[in-house]
Amino acid sequence: MVESPLAGKPKKSESAKRLSAMIAEDYMTLHQRASNGAFVVWIAIVVPAELFAGFDDVVYAVPESHAAMSAGKGVGALQCAKAEQAGYSADLCSYARIDIGTVLDGGRDSPSFGLPRPHLLVSNNNNCSLLVKWFDIYHRMWGTPHFVLDIPFCYEEQNGLNFSYIRDQFKDLISTIERLSGQRFREEKAAQAVSLSAEALKEWKRFIGLASHRPSPITAFDSFVHMAPILTSRGTRRLVEHYRMLADETESLEADGVYPVPGERYRLLWDNIAPWHQLRKMSSRLAGLGANITTASYTYCIGSLEGSIDAYPFDGTDPLAWLARLQNFSVCPQGLDLRLRAMQRAIERNGIDGVIFASNRSCKVYSVMQMDQMRHVRDTLGVPAIMIDVDHADERKYSEEAAFVRIEALLETIDARRSSGRPPTA
Amino acid sequence: MGDILETLKRYRAEGSRLVGCFPLYGPLELFHSFGLTPVVLWGLGDGRGYYPASDAHVQGYACSVARALTGFVIEHGTALFDALFMYNACDTLRNLPEILSRALDSRGGHIPMFRLHLPAIPLDRAHAARYLEERLRGLVKALEEFTGRSFSGDAFMASATLYERRRSLCRGVMDLRARGGIPSARAARIIELGNHVEVAEHIAGLEEVVGSCSGLPGDARGVRVMAGGIQAPPLELLDAMDSSNLVTVADDFATMARTHLASVSPRPDPHSYYTELYLHHPPCSTLLPSADARLGHLVSRAKASGARGFILFGEKFCEYEYFEAPQLLAAMEREGVRTLFLEIAPEDRENLAQHVTRIEAFAEMLQDGSTGG
């Protein structure tokens, strides 16, 4: 699992301790239930896992999350190399290479001993259509059925046609699991899971909303590590409890004057997937410069409709409708205008001084738009911005010095603007 | 590169209303039936001339197709195109419409953009077919507003007939290539011209080629191979295959066989036509529902054509091709078809000689095998 960068502090926070235990338990439970005969589903991250709670004995695993954890634990490059040795190009997404490498080597070197072999693969194509290609590899390798959710990319807010199309496919997915697992779906159980997810996301938004305070009681690195249980414990009471505890504890620390970057001088926004192999290094080095990446598009999007950063509430009536409406919550399914709309809100609400666009060759869907986004942020919003090269999970493709040369230049630009009397956010 | 630009300028000067379409498998017949001239923004030369305009908008790790079309549209789009069209195929291309719009706006230009979400699940799933029908209906309505014409089933039927004729002739060119009647490079060039040349003009050119090569002997001499990739490689590499005594008996280039092996009987109803076209489309790495069938389809084609080797020209940074490549190559090898994988960036002229050497070595290996060596 990924440890909070706060773990390097003299005292590990209670929520960080709970996070470690929770993730370990999630993976252990997954393996145990799978070995006891549960129906195992592998999913892409935005597949609505709450649906699986509608069945008595269906468990799910998220290869992307496992890959992130592997990178955070320092075995990303090792697993990537295994996939490359099997002929998979080093230009492929590093999450995919980690996962393929892990599978090909039978789970060796994985922090969780890999994932239990699935009975069903479920991908979708809006967050990243390459998940379809990635899961197809296992479909061909094992003969495991592969169910694809076709979620139209959104250049505007989701329309009725797309909503109905998505919702119909959820029903298809449910029927498929019923047929393959022999289990019956009960909507009231899924509704309960959706209700808990919505409650947990409300607490999540309370936590990341603290980034609007000056100084900020959180860093984006905290939000990176604490997003893990959204992927492993979705739709559970313990997820609600975790985020409530996280938000409460952070508020309490703030009341006591405890801040992750005590001398915070620069408030930054990070755009792209977390650099899992650099969390502690990067956060520590930034803190030494008085810089705090308080905000990240990767985490403020969670639980929000396209173009928004606020929580989308569940009215308790139709769980499939809530899940269908929220299918574009991640950044990647959204067009440029929608991404910018959400980013502008985050910049204004959180008093951002500068934006770091992490150009990530492992994630073209996130990155191919950033040059125009950066231009807009600089020229229209008047906020300094830079672009650095990052790979989210393959540290061989990251140069710390090259990145920090640009980050330091960004901080100097912010200083220059301040000394010239221009406001930090125009 | 210059030829493409000059061709499109000529059409424009002659009064054609051009629609720049990407990626490869858009509903070209539908645009044509409205009196528009659809051209496919693919294979825009080696792209180098267009990269400077693209580099301000798209990172260098995007594929050459995306970079070249971005630069081309920014440089020439306003002067050439009445509209642009795109459908969902890959994650890079789906990000381009707004990038292009902003870039054109910043230059004081604007081009209307049509979009279509092509279901990425099999069209025999009822709601997928319904969804496509709704999206096509929306596209027809948008085209009616754009052109001021009403949709005509007869006009669509006539356009579909032309495109089916073109596909048939392209298959004829491929057959000629397999029999040694036309060099691989010339076959690729004449077929890929169809991306940018108006369909009737393309048909005339294809008919001339096919007619001039009729009456050829049954089989070419040489080692039979199959070649594939997202687009045909630089022509020098196809020449190298021919001069190494390799006979391209089948291909899996997206711009060639994947486009033209499709065969749909013309009809006045676009929904029925496109449902059949996409449902039975030759498998392509970018058409997600076809992935299941792709490996088996290619291995079968290789075996049926007697190919003893398969050369995959991997387009640099095309993850759709690269995710499938290891299993595809392994499947070929299991069936006794030897494989060669070459990573190609069309703008990379410096490594052509290395690729030629590898093709020659591959040919020698196959020839040794054929003589028991």
Side-chain angles (χ1 to χ4, degrees), chain A residues 91 93 125-126 129 133 136-137 139-140 150 153 155-156 162 172 335-337 359 364-365 367-368 371-372 375, chain B residues 55-57 59 61 91 94-95 98 102 115 117 119-121 125 127 131 285 291-292 316 319-320 322 324 327:
Chain A
D91 287 330
C93 161
N125 59 342
N126 64 331
S129 63
K133 313 299 292 181
D136 267 342
I137 292 170
H139 167 63
R140 288 190 288 266
D150 178 31
F153 187 78
Y155 298 95
E156 298 99 17
N162 289 345
D172 256 9
L336 181 53
D337 291 343
S359 178
K364 294 185 180 69
V365 65
S367 304
V368 176
M371 298 177 86
D372 279 87
R375 198 170 294 116
Chain B
D55 285 345
H57 300 275
Q59 287 94 330
Y61 51 76
D91 290 346
R94 81 183 189 186
N95 280 8
E98 290 164 300
R102 282 174 176 263
R115 291 192 300 257
H117 180 84
I121 54 178
R125 277 162 71 174
H127 43 254
Y131 183 81
S285 55
D292 246 358
K316 181 76 176 165
E319 292 173 283
Y320 293 75
Y322 282 23
E324 290 182 359
Q327 289 180 325

Short mmCIF file of all heavy atoms in Angstrom, two decimals, chain A residues 91 93 125-126 129 133 136-137 139-140 150 153 155-156 162 172 335-337 359 364-365 367-368 371-372 375, chain B residues 55-57 59 61 91 94-95 98 102 115 117 119-121 125 127 131 285 291-292 316 319-320 322 324 327:
data_model
loop_
_atom_site.label_atom_id
_atom_site.label_comp_id
_atom_site.label_asym_id
_atom_site.label_seq_id
_atom_site.Cartn_x
_atom_site.Cartn_y
_atom_site.Cartn_z
N ASP A 91 6.54 1.91 -24.07
CA ASP A 91 5.69 3.08 -24.29
C ASP A 91 4.26 2.86 -23.79
O ASP A 91 3.45 3.79 -23.80
CB ASP A 91 5.63 3.43 -25.78
CG ASP A 91 6.92 4.05 -26.27
OD1 ASP A 91 7.61 4.71 -25.46
OD2 ASP A 91 7.26 3.87 -27.45
N CYS A 93 1.27 2.24 -21.03
CA CYS A 93 0.98 2.77 -19.69
C CYS A 93 1.70 1.94 -18.63
O CYS A 93 1.67 0.70 -18.66
CB CYS A 93 -0.53 2.71 -19.47
SG CYS A 93 -1.03 2.80 -17.76
N ASN A 125 -14.48 2.54 -21.23
CA ASN A 125 -13.61 3.23 -22.17
C ASN A 125 -13.61 4.73 -22.01
O ASN A 125 -13.06 5.43 -22.85
CB ASN A 125 -14.01 2.87 -23.62
CG ASN A 125 -15.45 3.25 -23.91
OD1 ASN A 125 -16.23 3.45 -22.99
ND2 ASN A 125 -15.80 3.35 -25.17
N ASN A 126 -14.25 5.25 -20.96
CA ASN A 126 -14.27 6.71 -20.88
C ASN A 126 -13.08 7.25 -20.09
O ASN A 126 -12.48 8.24 -20.48
CB ASN A 126 -15.59 7.23 -20.29
CG ASN A 126 -15.82 6.81 -18.86
OD1 ASN A 126 -15.36 5.76 -18.42
ND2 ASN A 126 -16.55 7.63 -18.12
N SER A 129 -9.62 4.23 -22.60
CA SER A 129 -10.10 3.11 -23.42
C SER A 129 -9.05 2.01 -23.52
O SER A 129 -9.35 0.90 -23.96
CB SER A 129 -10.52 3.59 -24.80
OG SER A 129 -9.43 4.13 -25.50
N LYS A 133 -8.15 -2.67 -23.93
CA LYS A 133 -7.06 -3.43 -24.57
C LYS A 133 -6.27 -4.23 -23.52
O LYS A 133 -5.87 -5.36 -23.76
CB LYS A 133 -6.10 -2.49 -25.31
CG LYS A 133 -6.74 -1.45 -26.20
CD LYS A 133 -7.55 -2.03 -27.30
CE LYS A 133 -6.73 -2.76 -28.33
NZ LYS A 133 -7.62 -3.29 -29.40
N ASP A 136 -8.25 -7.14 -22.34
CA ASP A 136 -8.36 -8.12 -23.43
C ASP A 136 -7.19 -9.11 -23.40
O ASP A 136 -7.33 -10.26 -23.83
CB ASP A 136 -8.37 -7.40 -24.79
CG ASP A 136 -9.79 -7.11 -25.28
OD1 ASP A 136 -10.74 -7.74 -24.77
OD2 ASP A 136 -9.94 -6.26 -26.18
N ILE A 137 -6.06 -8.64 -22.92
CA ILE A 137 -4.90 -9.55 -22.83
C ILE A 137 -5.24 -10.74 -21.94
O ILE A 137 -4.98 -11.89 -22.28
CB ILE A 137 -3.67 -8.79 -22.30
CG1 ILE A 137 -3.19 -7.76 -23.34
CG2 ILE A 137 -2.53 -9.75 -21.91
CD1 ILE A 137 -2.15 -6.79 -22.82
N HIS A 139 -8.27 -11.68 -21.10
CA HIS A 139 -9.39 -12.39 -21.74
C HIS A 139 -8.84 -13.45 -22.70
O HIS A 139 -9.30 -14.60 -22.71
CB HIS A 139 -10.26 -11.37 -22.47
CG HIS A 139 -11.25 -11.94 -23.42
ND1 HIS A 139 -12.29 -12.75 -23.02
CD2 HIS A 139 -11.37 -11.82 -24.77
CE1 HIS A 139 -12.99 -13.11 -24.08
NE2 HIS A 139 -12.46 -12.56 -25.15
N ARG A 140 -7.83 -13.07 -23.47
CA ARG A 140 -7.25 -14.03 -24.42
C ARG A 140 -6.38 -15.07 -23.69
O ARG A 140 -6.33 -16.23 -24.07
CB ARG A 140 -6.41 -13.29 -25.46
CG ARG A 140 -7.23 -12.49 -26.46
CD ARG A 140 -6.36 -11.97 -27.60
NE ARG A 140 -5.48 -10.91 -27.19
CZ ARG A 140 -5.75 -9.61 -27.29
NH1 ARG A 140 -6.90 -9.23 -27.80
NH2 ARG A 140 -4.90 -8.70 -26.90
N ASP A 150 -19.46 0.84 -22.39
CA ASP A 150 -19.17 1.89 -23.38
C ASP A 150 -19.73 3.21 -22.87
O ASP A 150 -20.95 3.44 -22.89
CB ASP A 150 -19.81 1.50 -24.72
CG ASP A 150 -19.58 2.56 -25.78
OD1 ASP A 150 -18.54 3.23 -25.73
OD2 ASP A 150 -20.45 2.71 -26.66
N PHE A 153 -17.47 9.68 -24.25
CA PHE A 153 -16.65 10.80 -23.78
C PHE A 153 -17.53 12.05 -23.74
O PHE A 153 -18.39 12.25 -24.60
CB PHE A 153 -15.50 10.99 -24.78
CG PHE A 153 -14.47 12.00 -24.38
CD1 PHE A 153 -13.51 11.67 -23.45
CD2 PHE A 153 -14.44 13.25 -24.97
CE1 PHE A 153 -12.53 12.60 -23.09
CE2 PHE A 153 -13.47 14.17 -24.62
CZ PHE A 153 -12.52 13.85 -23.69
N TYR A 155 -17.88 16.03 -24.03
CA TYR A 155 -17.39 17.37 -24.35
C TYR A 155 -18.31 18.41 -23.68
O TYR A 155 -17.93 19.55 -23.50
CB TYR A 155 -17.37 17.59 -25.86
CG TYR A 155 -16.45 16.64 -26.58
CD1 TYR A 155 -16.93 15.46 -27.14
CD2 TYR A 155 -15.09 16.92 -26.69
CE1 TYR A 155 -16.08 14.58 -27.79
CE2 TYR A 155 -14.23 16.03 -27.34
CZ TYR A 155 -14.74 14.87 -27.89
OH TYR A 155 -13.89 14.00 -28.53
N GLU A 156 -19.53 17.97 -23.40
CA GLU A 156 -20.47 18.80 -22.65
C GLU A 156 -21.00 17.94 -21.51
O GLU A 156 -20.67 16.76 -21.42
CB GLU A 156 -21.65 19.24 -23.53
CG GLU A 156 -21.27 20.09 -24.73
CD GLU A 156 -21.19 19.25 -26.01
OE1 GLU A 156 -21.73 18.13 -26.02
OE2 GLU A 156 -20.56 19.72 -26.98
N ASN A 162 -27.06 9.67 -23.53
CA ASN A 162 -25.90 8.98 -22.96
C ASN A 162 -26.24 8.38 -21.59
O ASN A 162 -25.82 7.27 -21.26
CB ASN A 162 -24.72 9.93 -22.84
CG ASN A 162 -24.14 10.27 -24.21
OD1 ASN A 162 -24.43 9.60 -25.20
ND2 ASN A 162 -23.36 11.33 -24.27
N ASP A 172 -27.30 -4.63 -18.08
CA ASP A 172 -26.66 -5.75 -18.79
C ASP A 172 -25.57 -6.39 -17.95
O ASP A 172 -25.42 -7.61 -17.91
CB ASP A 172 -25.99 -5.22 -20.07
CG ASP A 172 -26.80 -5.55 -21.30
OD1 ASP A 172 -27.94 -6.02 -21.15
OD2 ASP A 172 -26.28 -5.32 -22.42
N GLY A 335 -13.93 16.65 -21.64
CA GLY A 335 -13.29 17.49 -22.64
C GLY A 335 -12.56 18.65 -22.00
O GLY A 335 -12.63 18.89 -20.78
N LEU A 336 -11.89 19.38 -22.83
CA LEU A 336 -11.03 20.47 -22.38
C LEU A 336 -11.80 21.56 -21.64
O LEU A 336 -11.37 22.04 -20.58
CB LEU A 336 -10.33 21.06 -23.62
CG LEU A 336 -9.34 22.20 -23.47
CD1 LEU A 336 -8.27 21.87 -22.46
CD2 LEU A 336 -8.71 22.50 -24.83
N ASP A 337 -12.94 21.95 -22.16
CA ASP A 337 -13.70 23.03 -21.51
C ASP A 337 -14.17 22.61 -20.12
O ASP A 337 -14.14 23.41 -19.18
CB ASP A 337 -14.91 23.42 -22.38
CG ASP A 337 -14.47 24.11 -23.67
OD1 ASP A 337 -13.31 24.57 -23.74
OD2 ASP A 337 -15.28 24.17 -24.62
N SER A 359 3.10 16.32 -17.32
CA SER A 359 2.90 15.68 -18.62
C SER A 359 3.36 14.23 -18.50
O SER A 359 4.54 13.95 -18.28
CB SER A 359 3.72 16.42 -19.68
OG SER A 359 3.59 15.80 -20.93
N LYS A 364 -1.77 9.31 -21.83
CA LYS A 364 -2.02 10.31 -22.89
C LYS A 364 -3.40 10.93 -22.73
O LYS A 364 -3.61 12.11 -23.02
CB LYS A 364 -1.89 9.66 -24.26
CG LYS A 364 -0.49 9.18 -24.58
CD LYS A 364 -0.38 8.65 -25.99
CE LYS A 364 1.01 8.18 -26.32
NZ LYS A 364 1.39 6.94 -25.59
N VAL A 365 -4.34 10.14 -22.27
CA VAL A 365 -5.70 10.66 -22.17
C VAL A 365 -5.78 11.81 -21.16
O VAL A 365 -6.54 12.76 -21.34
CB VAL A 365 -6.69 9.51 -21.84
CG1 VAL A 365 -6.42 8.93 -20.48
CG2 VAL A 365 -8.11 9.98 -21.94
N SER A 367 -3.05 13.66 -20.47
CA SER A 367 -2.01 14.65 -20.77
C SER A 367 -2.23 15.41 -22.08
O SER A 367 -1.86 16.59 -22.18
CB SER A 367 -0.65 13.94 -20.84
OG SER A 367 -0.41 13.25 -19.62
N VAL A 368 -2.79 14.72 -23.07
CA VAL A 368 -2.95 15.40 -24.37
C VAL A 368 -4.14 16.35 -24.28
O VAL A 368 -5.26 15.98 -24.54
CB VAL A 368 -3.13 14.39 -25.51
CG1 VAL A 368 -3.39 15.11 -26.84
CG2 VAL A 368 -1.90 13.52 -25.65
N MET A 371 -1.33 21.16 -22.85
CA MET A 371 -0.64 22.33 -23.39
C MET A 371 -1.63 23.48 -23.58
O MET A 371 -1.33 24.63 -23.28
CB MET A 371 0.07 21.97 -24.69
CG MET A 371 1.13 20.90 -24.45
SD MET A 371 1.96 20.35 -25.93
CE MET A 371 3.25 21.56 -26.07
N ASP A 372 -2.82 23.13 -24.02
CA ASP A 372 -3.85 24.17 -24.17
C ASP A 372 -4.41 24.59 -22.82
O ASP A 372 -4.74 25.77 -22.62
CB ASP A 372 -4.96 23.67 -25.10
CG ASP A 372 -4.56 23.81 -26.55
OD1 ASP A 372 -3.91 22.89 -27.08
OD2 ASP A 372 -4.84 24.86 -27.15
N ARG A 375 -1.94 26.97 -21.34
CA ARG A 375 -2.03 28.29 -22.00
C ARG A 375 -3.21 29.08 -21.43
O ARG A 375 -3.11 30.28 -21.18
CB ARG A 375 -2.18 28.07 -23.51
CG ARG A 375 -1.85 29.27 -24.36
CD ARG A 375 -1.80 28.90 -25.83
NE ARG A 375 -0.71 28.02 -26.15
CZ ARG A 375 -0.83 26.77 -26.59
NH1 ARG A 375 -2.01 26.27 -26.81
NH2 ARG A 375 0.23 26.04 -26.84
N ASP B 55 3.29 21.15 -32.34
CA ASP B 55 4.08 21.05 -31.11
C ASP B 55 3.63 22.01 -30.01
O ASP B 55 3.96 21.80 -28.84
CB ASP B 55 5.56 21.27 -31.41
CG ASP B 55 6.18 20.05 -32.08
OD1 ASP B 55 5.54 18.98 -32.05
OD2 ASP B 55 7.28 20.18 -32.64
N ALA B 56 2.92 23.04 -30.37
CA ALA B 56 2.43 23.96 -29.34
C ALA B 56 1.17 23.42 -28.67
O ALA B 56 0.68 24.01 -27.70
CB ALA B 56 2.14 25.32 -29.96
N HIS B 57 0.65 22.32 -29.18
CA HIS B 57 -0.63 21.82 -28.68
C HIS B 57 -0.60 20.36 -28.24
O HIS B 57 -1.39 19.96 -27.39
CB HIS B 57 -1.71 21.98 -29.76
CG HIS B 57 -1.91 23.40 -30.18
ND1 HIS B 57 -2.75 24.26 -29.52
CD2 HIS B 57 -1.33 24.12 -31.18
CE1 HIS B 57 -2.70 25.45 -30.10
NE2 HIS B 57 -1.86 25.40 -31.11
N GLN B 59 1.81 16.93 -27.22
CA GLN B 59 3.13 16.48 -26.79
C GLN B 59 3.78 15.56 -27.84
O GLN B 59 3.08 14.89 -28.59
CB GLN B 59 3.05 15.73 -25.46
CG GLN B 59 2.79 16.63 -24.25
CD GLN B 59 1.32 16.75 -23.90
OE1 GLN B 59 0.46 16.65 -24.77
NE2 GLN B 59 1.03 16.94 -22.62
N TYR B 61 5.04 12.79 -27.53
CA TYR B 61 4.81 11.35 -27.39
C TYR B 61 3.44 10.92 -27.90
O TYR B 61 3.03 9.78 -27.69
CB TYR B 61 5.01 10.88 -25.94
CG TYR B 61 4.27 11.67 -24.88
CD1 TYR B 61 2.91 11.51 -24.69
CD2 TYR B 61 4.95 12.56 -24.06
CE1 TYR B 61 2.23 12.22 -23.72
CE2 TYR B 61 4.30 13.27 -23.08
CZ TYR B 61 2.93 13.10 -22.90
OH TYR B 61 2.27 13.80 -21.92
N ASP B 91 -7.67 7.37 -27.36
CA ASP B 91 -7.68 8.41 -26.33
C ASP B 91 -7.00 9.69 -26.78
O ASP B 91 -7.35 10.78 -26.32
CB ASP B 91 -6.99 7.87 -25.06
CG ASP B 91 -7.82 6.80 -24.38
OD1 ASP B 91 -9.01 6.67 -24.72
OD2 ASP B 91 -7.27 6.09 -23.51
N ARG B 94 -9.45 11.51 -29.40
CA ARG B 94 -10.68 12.05 -28.83
C ARG B 94 -10.42 13.37 -28.10
O ARG B 94 -11.33 14.14 -27.86
CB ARG B 94 -11.35 11.04 -27.90
CG ARG B 94 -10.78 10.97 -26.51
CD ARG B 94 -11.45 9.89 -25.69
NE ARG B 94 -11.04 9.95 -24.30
CZ ARG B 94 -11.38 9.07 -23.38
NH1 ARG B 94 -12.12 8.03 -23.70
NH2 ARG B 94 -10.98 9.20 -22.13
N ASN B 95 -9.17 13.60 -27.75
CA ASN B 95 -8.84 14.86 -27.08
C ASN B 95 -8.62 16.02 -28.06
O ASN B 95 -8.48 17.16 -27.64
CB ASN B 95 -7.56 14.69 -26.25
CG ASN B 95 -7.83 14.01 -24.92
OD1 ASN B 95 -8.92 13.54 -24.67
ND2 ASN B 95 -6.83 13.98 -24.05
N GLU B 98 -11.34 19.83 -29.30
CA GLU B 98 -11.29 21.15 -28.65
C GLU B 98 -9.93 21.81 -28.82
O GLU B 98 -9.83 23.03 -28.86
CB GLU B 98 -11.64 20.99 -27.17
CG GLU B 98 -13.10 20.65 -26.95
CD GLU B 98 -13.35 20.12 -25.55
OE1 GLU B 98 -12.74 19.09 -25.20
OE2 GLU B 98 -14.13 20.74 -24.82
N ARG B 102 -9.67 25.47 -30.45
CA ARG B 102 -8.99 26.59 -29.78
C ARG B 102 -7.85 27.12 -30.64
O ARG B 102 -7.64 28.34 -30.72
CB ARG B 102 -8.45 26.14 -28.43
CG ARG B 102 -9.51 26.07 -27.36
CD ARG B 102 -9.00 25.49 -26.06
NE ARG B 102 -10.05 25.55 -25.07
CZ ARG B 102 -10.17 26.51 -24.16
NH1 ARG B 102 -9.27 27.47 -24.08
NH2 ARG B 102 -11.17 26.51 -23.30
N ARG B 115 -19.42 15.40 -34.49
CA ARG B 115 -18.84 14.29 -33.73
C ARG B 115 -19.84 13.14 -33.69
O ARG B 115 -21.05 13.35 -33.72
CB ARG B 115 -18.52 14.73 -32.31
CG ARG B 115 -17.37 15.70 -32.18
CD ARG B 115 -16.95 15.84 -30.72
NE ARG B 115 -18.04 16.31 -29.89
CZ ARG B 115 -18.16 17.57 -29.45
NH1 ARG B 115 -17.25 18.46 -29.75
NH2 ARG B 115 -19.18 17.91 -28.70
N HIS B 117 -20.30 9.36 -31.50
CA HIS B 117 -19.79 8.31 -30.62
C HIS B 117 -20.22 6.98 -31.23
O HIS B 117 -21.40 6.65 -31.26
CB HIS B 117 -20.31 8.43 -29.19
CG HIS B 117 -19.76 7.36 -28.30
ND1 HIS B 117 -18.54 7.45 -27.68
CD2 HIS B 117 -20.23 6.13 -27.98
CE1 HIS B 117 -18.29 6.34 -27.01
NE2 HIS B 117 -19.30 5.52 -27.18
N PRO B 119 -20.54 3.18 -30.93
CA PRO B 119 -20.54 2.24 -29.80
C PRO B 119 -19.30 1.35 -29.78
O PRO B 119 -18.91 0.80 -30.81
CB PRO B 119 -21.82 1.43 -30.02
CG PRO B 119 -22.73 2.37 -30.71
CD PRO B 119 -21.83 3.16 -31.64
N ALA B 120 -18.73 1.26 -28.61
CA ALA B 120 -17.52 0.45 -28.45
C ALA B 120 -17.87 -0.93 -27.92
O ALA B 120 -17.03 -1.61 -27.33
CB ALA B 120 -16.55 1.16 -27.52
N ILE B 121 -19.11 -1.29 -28.06
CA ILE B 121 -19.57 -2.63 -27.70
C ILE B 121 -20.26 -3.21 -28.93
O ILE B 121 -20.69 -2.46 -29.81
CB ILE B 121 -20.51 -2.61 -26.48
CG1 ILE B 121 -21.68 -1.64 -26.71
CG2 ILE B 121 -19.75 -2.23 -25.23
CD1 ILE B 121 -22.68 -1.61 -25.58
N ARG B 125 -25.75 -6.02 -29.47
CA ARG B 125 -26.42 -5.72 -28.19
C ARG B 125 -27.44 -4.64 -28.49
O ARG B 125 -27.12 -3.57 -29.02
CB ARG B 125 -25.40 -5.26 -27.15
CG ARG B 125 -24.70 -6.46 -26.47
CD ARG B 125 -23.42 -6.09 -25.78
NE ARG B 125 -23.58 -5.30 -24.57
CZ ARG B 125 -22.56 -4.97 -23.77
NH1 ARG B 125 -21.33 -5.40 -24.05
NH2 ARG B 125 -22.75 -4.24 -22.71
N HIS B 127 -29.21 -2.26 -27.10
CA HIS B 127 -29.15 -0.82 -26.82
C HIS B 127 -27.99 -0.15 -27.56
O HIS B 127 -28.01 1.05 -27.78
CB HIS B 127 -29.11 -0.53 -25.33
CG HIS B 127 -28.20 -1.41 -24.56
ND1 HIS B 127 -28.65 -2.41 -23.74
CD2 HIS B 127 -26.87 -1.46 -24.51
CE1 HIS B 127 -27.63 -3.02 -23.20
NE2 HIS B 127 -26.54 -2.48 -23.65
N TYR B 131 -28.55 3.00 -29.79
CA TYR B 131 -27.74 4.19 -29.54
C TYR B 131 -27.13 4.71 -30.83
O TYR B 131 -27.18 5.90 -31.12
CB TYR B 131 -26.64 3.87 -28.52
CG TYR B 131 -25.80 5.06 -28.14
CD1 TYR B 131 -26.25 5.97 -27.20
CD2 TYR B 131 -24.58 5.29 -28.75
CE1 TYR B 131 -25.49 7.08 -26.86
CE2 TYR B 131 -23.81 6.39 -28.43
CZ TYR B 131 -24.27 7.28 -27.48
OH TYR B 131 -23.52 8.39 -27.15
N SER B 285 -7.51 -2.80 -34.24
CA SER B 285 -7.16 -2.53 -32.84
C SER B 285 -7.91 -1.33 -32.29
O SER B 285 -8.10 -1.21 -31.08
CB SER B 285 -5.65 -2.31 -32.72
OG SER B 285 -5.25 -1.28 -33.60
N ALA B 291 -11.94 -6.69 -31.11
CA ALA B 291 -10.70 -7.24 -30.57
C ALA B 291 -10.76 -8.75 -30.40
O ALA B 291 -9.78 -9.45 -30.66
CB ALA B 291 -10.39 -6.57 -29.24
N ASP B 292 -11.92 -9.23 -29.98
CA ASP B 292 -12.06 -10.67 -29.76
C ASP B 292 -11.68 -11.48 -30.99
O ASP B 292 -11.08 -12.54 -30.90
CB ASP B 292 -13.53 -10.98 -29.42
CG ASP B 292 -13.67 -11.48 -28.00
OD1 ASP B 292 -12.64 -11.60 -27.33
OD2 ASP B 292 -14.81 -11.73 -27.59
N LYS B 316 4.90 4.08 -33.85
CA LYS B 316 5.42 4.55 -32.57
C LYS B 316 4.33 5.27 -31.77
O LYS B 316 3.65 6.14 -32.31
CB LYS B 316 6.60 5.50 -32.84
CG LYS B 316 7.28 6.07 -31.61
CD LYS B 316 8.16 5.06 -30.94
CE LYS B 316 8.91 5.69 -29.76
NZ LYS B 316 9.49 4.65 -28.89
N GLU B 319 -0.62 2.84 -28.75
CA GLU B 319 -0.79 1.81 -27.73
C GLU B 319 -1.84 0.77 -28.13
O GLU B 319 -1.81 -0.36 -27.67
CB GLU B 319 -1.16 2.46 -26.40
CG GLU B 319 0.00 3.28 -25.84
CD GLU B 319 -0.38 4.08 -24.62
OE1 GLU B 319 -1.02 5.13 -24.79
OE2 GLU B 319 -0.04 3.67 -23.51
N TYR B 320 -2.78 1.17 -28.97
CA TYR B 320 -3.82 0.23 -29.39
C TYR B 320 -3.21 -0.94 -30.14
O TYR B 320 -3.61 -2.09 -29.96
CB TYR B 320 -4.88 0.96 -30.24
CG TYR B 320 -5.61 1.95 -29.38
CD1 TYR B 320 -5.00 3.15 -29.02
CD2 TYR B 320 -6.85 1.65 -28.85
CE1 TYR B 320 -5.63 4.02 -28.16
CE2 TYR B 320 -7.48 2.53 -28.00
CZ TYR B 320 -6.87 3.72 -27.65
OH TYR B 320 -7.47 4.57 -26.79
N TYR B 322 0.03 -1.72 -29.85
CA TYR B 322 1.08 -2.33 -29.03
C TYR B 322 0.53 -3.26 -27.95
O TYR B 322 1.21 -4.20 -27.55
CB TYR B 322 1.96 -1.23 -28.40
CG TYR B 322 2.97 -0.65 -29.38
CD1 TYR B 322 2.77 -0.72 -30.75
CD2 TYR B 322 4.13 -0.04 -28.94
CE1 TYR B 322 3.67 -0.20 -31.64
CE2 TYR B 322 5.06 0.49 -29.82
CZ TYR B 322 4.83 0.40 -31.17
OH TYR B 322 5.73 0.92 -32.06
N GLU B 324 -1.82 -5.29 -28.38
CA GLU B 324 -2.15 -6.57 -29.02
C GLU B 324 -0.93 -7.28 -29.60
O GLU B 324 -0.97 -8.48 -29.86
CB GLU B 324 -3.18 -6.34 -30.14
CG GLU B 324 -4.55 -5.97 -29.59
CD GLU B 324 -5.60 -5.79 -30.68
OE1 GLU B 324 -5.27 -5.93 -31.86
OE2 GLU B 324 -6.76 -5.50 -30.32
N GLN B 327 0.74 -10.82 -28.20
CA GLN B 327 -0.09 -12.01 -28.38
C GLN B 327 -0.33 -12.30 -29.86
O GLN B 327 -0.42 -13.47 -30.25
CB GLN B 327 -1.41 -11.85 -27.62
CG GLN B 327 -1.23 -11.92 -26.11
CD GLN B 327 -2.54 -11.76 -25.35
OE1 GLN B 327 -3.41 -11.03 -25.77
NE2 GLN B 327 -2.65 -12.45 -24.22
#
